[in-house]
Amino acid sequence: MADNFGTFTFHQLDNEPINSFKPGSEERELLTREITRLRGEELEIPCVINGVKHFTGNKKKQTCPHDHQHVLGHFHCVTDELVHEAIDGALAAKAEWEDLPANHRAAIFARAADLLATKYRYKMLAAVMLSIGKTPHQAVIDVVAELADFWRMNAQYLLELMKDVQPPIKKPNGWNRMTLRPLEGFTYAISPWNFVAIAGNLPTAPAMIGNVALWKPSSAAVYPAYLIYEILMEAGLPAGVIQFIPGISRDISAIVLPNPNLSAIHFTGSTPVFVHLWQEVAKNLPVYKTYPRLVGETGGKNFHFLAPDFSMETTVNHTIRGAFEYSGQKCSATSRVYCPASRADEFTELMVKIMEEHVTHGPVEDFSVFTSSVIDENSFDKIASYIDFAKESDSCEIMAGGTYDKSTGYFVAPTFIKTTDPHCKLMAEEIFGPVVTMYTYEDDKIDETLELCNTTSEYGLTGAIFGLDRHVVNKCCKALKHAAGNMYINRASTAAVVGQQPFGGARKSGTDDKAGSPYLLLRFAAMQSISEDFFDCQDITYPHMK
């Protein structure tokens, strides 16, 4: 993108390296030390509006999900008056922010990425582990690698966008060109608890284009979100560009959604909440100065579809990782499996064997566990109810796991279930926990089973096909092309990487705008077409009029 007399780009970008945290390594020692330090402190988290910290006194606790009596800190809920102030302040900051050349905006987020990956690496890892229950590997692929990748690659996309949208036809004796403008008004960013990288991307992706944002973080993850916000401030983000407003969603939305200046909603969370937001926006359409852009990623009921010639060990390992990493609390987590009858017994035996040997769960401070707790009591109770359903159902059999305990932390054992009913709720409803259910199909019924897989769930986020015969794999891909926005072949339904697999799904899984790609940034841009004549117009008539 040209600015003054320069055209700017970053050097060749690579994904942020992932730590291994092997026993005896320095990185493991640094992380352990930081975990101990953060456990010994209580953080007081304010609202931050126009660069001013507000401690409202209406406080909510942030606890460790694996040790729910341990308090990490408290956050102060935003007041109605402060929400109004945040909107006014963001709009006031917008003119200078959007007028700042794109390379200077990009530099702020590139600097934030470097601060995150170096100075604050172990602090952020420890904060994510303690506050939302991630193991070291799950923490580093989230808050350090993915978020640093978002900030660096979005900055690069920003600098490249202009050359990619220019008109292909030259105007005779003139000049046609396109420019990108930020949207008029402000963006409302509502972030989830399960991925701090997504939380950090929701307000910053629109901001890179020149928009301003109100950031409402999930109440279950205000602790790491605030630390991310502090990094942005240290990187040089001007006051008012992103307003940090933790609090009660319904109270904040009641003020934000009817505001005439709402220009976009950037959301990750549950499908019912996104549906509600869309309905409220529709109700307020006559009020708005422009049609708000709604960009959302919600739930998933993600599948592994096994063709008869699938590779056994690879498929089992990917299914275990897809289903049970981070206790299944990923929107992309593997939740249902379709397995051919000729190999179902062998698949089940190997699943159970590996789960019994390696799929352990416990506190995040124990680096030997495969996964830890679920996020809170509401989630725990919901997941437990699905396990209880399986225990009581004639069509279901629990093959591994099936236990749960919330006395100290919200622990649910990774659970593998077999069902004879392809329409049971374990195969259709999002559970968002460490539960995967397998349905066995007759080998000669693959076409019918593909249709079952395609139509059983309302979601369309991720899915994976396992098989070696490319004709069969192709058939599966065609049959399931609308069932997954991210389709994987011979790998798990999870673990999209920024710059490699842009992420998002359709149906009731969201608007499929592909986070981690330049297409997402364009959703927060208003294109302007400019056409200029170089010569004077000296006649109003056309040749046919002569």
Side-chain angles (χ1 to χ4, degrees):
M1 179 179 287
D3 172 53
N4 297 330
F5 297 101
T7 300
F8 303 95
T9 186
F10 291 102
H11 295 295
Q12 180 67 39
L13 293 176
D14 293 313
N15 293 113
E16 174 65 27
I18 305 297
N19 302 91
S20 64
F21 306 108
K22 293 179 180 178
S25 64
E26 181 185 15
E27 59 195 22
R28 186 180 179 114
E29 173 59 29
L30 290 170
L31 178 55
T32 302
R33 195 181 308 159
E34 198 63 22
I35 290 170
T36 302
R37 186 181 72 81
L38 292 187
R39 277 193 68 104
E41 302 174 354
E42 283 195 19
L43 182 63
E44 201 77 4
I45 304 168
C47 316
V48 186
I49 297 161
N50 303 326
V52 178
K53 296 179 179 180
H54 296 269
F55 298 90
T56 64
N58 180 12
K59 300 195 293 186
K60 305 290 184 184
K61 286 191 299 186
Q62 296 281 272
T63 61
C64 298
H66 65 282
D67 181 9
H68 50 60
Q69 296 305 304
H70 184 85
V71 177
L72 293 169
H74 298 81
F75 69 89
H76 291 252
C77 295
V78 70
T79 64
D80 291 356
E81 293 76 16
L82 287 175
V83 175
H84 286 291
E85 186 177 328
I87 294 172
D88 293 341
L91 294 173
K94 189 171 190 298
E96 283 193 358
W97 176 244
E98 69 174 85
D99 196 47
L100 189 67
N103 61 290
H104 289 290
R105 293 199 304 269
I108 291 171
F109 298 102
R111 181 169 187 243
D114 283 358
L115 286 170
L116 171 64
T118 56
K119 181 178 179 180
Y120 295 108
R121 188 182 195 93
Y122 294 99
K123 179 180 182 179
M124 287 309 310
L125 288 171
V128 166
M129 290 174 67
L130 292 171
S131 64
I132 60 174
K134 293 201 170 185
T135 60
H137 178 73
Q138 294 301 310
V140 74
I141 63 174
D142 173 13
V143 71
V144 175
E146 185 169 347
L147 184 51
D149 288 348
F150 271 138
W151 285 343
R152 290 172 180 148
M153 294 188 191
N154 282 346
Q156 178 66 19
Y157 296 148
L158 173 66
L159 298 176
E160 293 176 346
L161 279 175
M162 284 306 302
K163 68 180 182 182
D164 294 332
V165 299
Q166 295 310 310
I169 305 299
K170 180 185 181 299
K171 176 181 174 62
N173 304 317
W175 186 14
N176 292 328
R177 56 197 184 273
M178 292 282 288
T179 186
L180 297 177
R181 304 163 293 169
L183 305 176
E184 288 191 279
F186 67 91
T187 297
Y188 185 25
I190 307 170
S191 63
W193 52 263
N194 61 327
F195 275 94
V196 177
I198 296 173
N201 189 49
L202 293 190
T204 57
M208 286 194 192
I209 291 288
N211 295 286
V212 292
L214 272 62
W215 180 11
K216 193 279 167 194
S218 167
S219 293
V222 177
Y223 183 90
Y226 179 64
L227 299 181
I228 292 299
Y229 188 79
E230 288 193 311
I231 291 173
L232 290 169
M233 293 300 102
E234 184 174 336
L237 188 71
V241 171
I242 296 176
Q243 311 279 40
F244 187 74
I245 54 167
I248 308 303
S249 295
R250 64 176 179 273
D251 297 339
I252 298 171
S253 294
I255 298 169
V256 172
L257 296 180
N259 190 284
N261 295 291
L262 179 68
S263 62
I265 294 175
H266 201 187
F267 174 85
T268 296
S270 74
T271 299
V273 172
F274 193 50
V275 169
H276 171 73
L277 292 169
W278 205 297
Q279 290 171 330
E280 289 299 303
V281 167
K283 186 172 69 176
N284 290 304
L285 276 180
V287 174
Y288 299 131
K289 294 179 180 178
T290 185
Y291 295 106
R293 309 273 182 93
L294 275 72
V295 177
E297 191 262 298
T298 60
K301 189 66 179 176
N302 312 295
F303 59 84
H304 279 187
F305 194 95
L306 282 48
D309 65 343
F310 69 91
S311 174
M312 182 63 67
E313 184 177 20
T314 289
T315 305
V316 168
N317 286 336
H318 277 298
T319 300
I320 288 173
R321 280 188 167 181
F324 303 131
E325 286 183 332
Y326 193 38
S327 294
Q329 297 174 114
K330 302 180 182 183
C331 51
S332 59
T334 311
S335 186
R336 52 186 174 132
V337 177
Y338 297 85
C339 183
S342 61
R343 308 187 69 191
D345 289 345
E346 184 184 359
F347 180 86
T348 299
E349 290 173 7
L350 189 56
M351 278 281 292
V352 172
K353 179 179 183 294
I354 294 176
M355 288 180 66
E356 290 177 346
E357 291 176 354
H358 299 294
V359 186
T360 55
H361 63 287
V364 295
E365 294 90 344
D366 180 357
F367 284 22
S368 71
V369 299
F370 186 84
T371 189
S372 186
S373 62
V374 299
I375 189 66
D376 59 22
E377 188 168 21
N378 288 338
S379 180
F380 176 94
D381 291 344
K382 175 186 174 183
I383 298 164
S385 73
Y386 280 95
I387 294 173
D388 290 343
F389 169 84
K391 291 177 179 177
E392 297 166 4
S393 172
D394 293 337
S395 65
C396 296
E397 181 182 3
I398 295 176
M399 308 306 298
T403 61
Y404 46 81
D405 180 6
K406 61 181 177 182
S407 57
T408 302
Y410 301 112
F411 290 105
V412 178
T415 300
F416 172 40
I417 299 168
K418 291 176 66 174
T419 185
T420 57
D421 179 6
H423 296 289
C424 84
K425 69 178 186 176
L426 295 173
M427 296 292 288
E429 297 177 10
E430 184 180 43
I431 301 172
F432 220 68
V435 178
V436 64
T437 305
M438 184 183 83
Y439 170 72
T440 301
Y441 70 91
E442 296 301 321
D443 291 41
D444 61 353
K445 300 290 185 183
I446 187 170
D447 291 340
E448 295 87 341
T449 310
L450 284 167
E451 181 62 14
L452 271 176
C453 181
N454 184 43
T455 58
T456 297
S457 167
E458 65 179 347
Y459 297 106
L461 190 53
T462 73
I465 296 163
F466 291 85
L468 302 177
D469 186 323
R470 297 308 299 193
H471 293 291
V472 176
V473 170
N474 179 54
K475 177 169 70 172
C476 293
C477 287
K478 290 175 66 177
L480 300 172
K481 67 180 179 181
H482 292 299
N486 277 53
M487 183 69 80
Y488 301 100
I489 299 173
N490 294 319
R491 54 156 290 186
S493 66
T494 60
V497 176
V498 177
Q500 297 189 38
Q501 300 96 21
F503 188 80
R507 293 182 176 172
K508 287 298 179 67
S509 290
T511 54
D512 200 15
D513 288 298
K514 290 294 184 269
S517 78
Y519 307 110
L520 179 77
L521 297 187
L522 288 174
R523 293 287 282 135
F524 301 101
M527 290 189 180
Q528 184 180 56
S529 181
I530 302 170
S531 185
E532 178 179 354
D533 280 355
F534 291 156
F535 291 171
D536 293 338
C537 180
Q538 297 177 336
D539 187 0
I540 68 166
T541 64
Y542 296 95
H544 70 84
M545 298 171 63
K546 304 300 184 182

